Amino acid sequence: MSKEHTILINRCKKGDEKAMMQIYDLYCDAMYQIACRYLNKEDAKDAMQDSFLKAFAKLESFKEDYTFGAWLKRIVIHQCIDELKKKRLAFTDSDIANLTIEDESNGWDFDTEISKEQIMAAIEKLSNKHQVVVKLYLIEGYDHDEISKILDIPVKTSRTHLRRGRLKLQELLKTHYNETGY
């Protein structure tokens, strides 16, 4: 973390509102983009605001083992998940008893003709449960243990939602490619 960031954060810890606004200005756009991955634009704004309030309230617990941005990102993601849970998005275990777990590192290859935008658009078409797990895994880079803790679900459920989301995503992209030729 840069010396300027360290100074700003230390000023924030002392209650300096001007420093808090500077931190907010530095990170608000990136945190809003993260929140928009999970929520509609209005809910994303609210979640981002709430995340900054939580971050400033918990600033004493921030340790420089991570960058401030990574620490704040985690708060934003947790806030978004909390919002989804309030809307009764249930991350439940459904008929996974006979499901065999596959290695997730395989099967994420997409046709080189398919753009990142097309993949992101297809992810938005997944069911909410699958969409959240796919985003946490594929975009945010969390592993199943972390996803399990974030969503308060068993690791096996995380794996199941990811597998089903990946299969549906591949189906959507294949259908789109066959229909449009790109």
Side-chain angles (χ1 to χ4, degrees):
M1 188 162 60
S2 73
K3 187 174 183 175
E4 293 86 21
H5 270 80
T6 303
I7 292 169
L8 276 176
I9 290 168
N10 286 334
R11 286 176 46 206
C12 290
K13 286 180 180 180
K14 295 176 183 174
D16 184 333
E17 291 180 12
K18 195 172 186 179
M20 289 179 192
M21 281 307 299
Q22 289 176 296
I23 290 288
Y24 179 85
D25 289 341
L26 285 171
Y27 290 97
C28 68
D29 290 339
M31 296 305 122
Y32 175 68
Q33 291 300 319
I34 291 167
C36 283
R37 292 180 191 157
Y38 301 94
L39 304 168
N40 66 46
K41 290 182 180 189
E42 285 305 310
D43 290 342
K45 287 178 189 175
D46 292 341
M48 183 197 64
Q49 295 289 342
D50 291 343
S51 297
F52 273 98
L53 292 173
K54 284 183 181 179
F56 290 136
K58 296 179 179 183
L59 208 48
E60 290 300 325
S61 69
F62 170 69
K63 305 228 183 329
E64 292 187 27
D65 299 341
Y66 303 100
T67 65
F68 181 78
W71 181 76
L72 183 58
K73 175 183 173 181
R74 193 167 185 92
I75 293 171
V76 170
I77 291 171
H78 281 276
Q79 184 66 34
C80 291
I81 300 304
D82 288 347
E83 291 299 317
L84 290 171
K85 286 179 180 178
K86 284 179 192 172
K87 293 180 180 189
R88 306 237 185 266
L89 176 60
F91 292 91
T92 58
D93 205 4
S94 59
D95 67 318
I96 64 170
N98 298 321
L99 183 67
T100 57
I101 303 301
E102 295 180 7
D103 181 12
E104 288 87 16
S105 62
N106 298 327
W108 286 105
D109 296 326
F110 299 109
D111 190 307
T112 56
E113 301 294 319
I114 298 172
S115 70
K116 179 181 176 183
E117 290 77 22
Q118 290 168 319
I119 293 170
M120 293 303 292
I123 289 172
E124 293 300 321
K125 293 179 183 176
L126 297 174
S127 72
N128 286 338
K129 291 184 280 191
H130 298 148
Q131 189 181 122
V132 171
V133 175
V134 167
K135 287 177 180 179
L136 288 171
Y137 183 84
L138 194 59
I139 299 170
E140 308 300 345
Y142 289 115
D143 64 27
H144 287 294
D145 287 333
E146 292 168 315
I147 294 170
S148 165
K149 289 174 185 159
I150 290 169
L151 298 178
D152 194 26
I153 58 174
V155 171
K156 192 172 180 181
T157 302
S158 172
R159 290 181 185 276
T160 300
H161 288 317
L162 182 68
R163 180 177 180 276
R164 289 179 182 171
R166 183 194 62 186
L167 293 173
K168 182 64 176 172
L169 183 60
Q170 289 170 331
E171 178 185 314
L172 288 167
L173 291 169
K174 185 176 179 181
T175 301
H176 175 75
Y177 185 77
N178 288 338
E179 289 174 358
T180 63
Y182 63 92

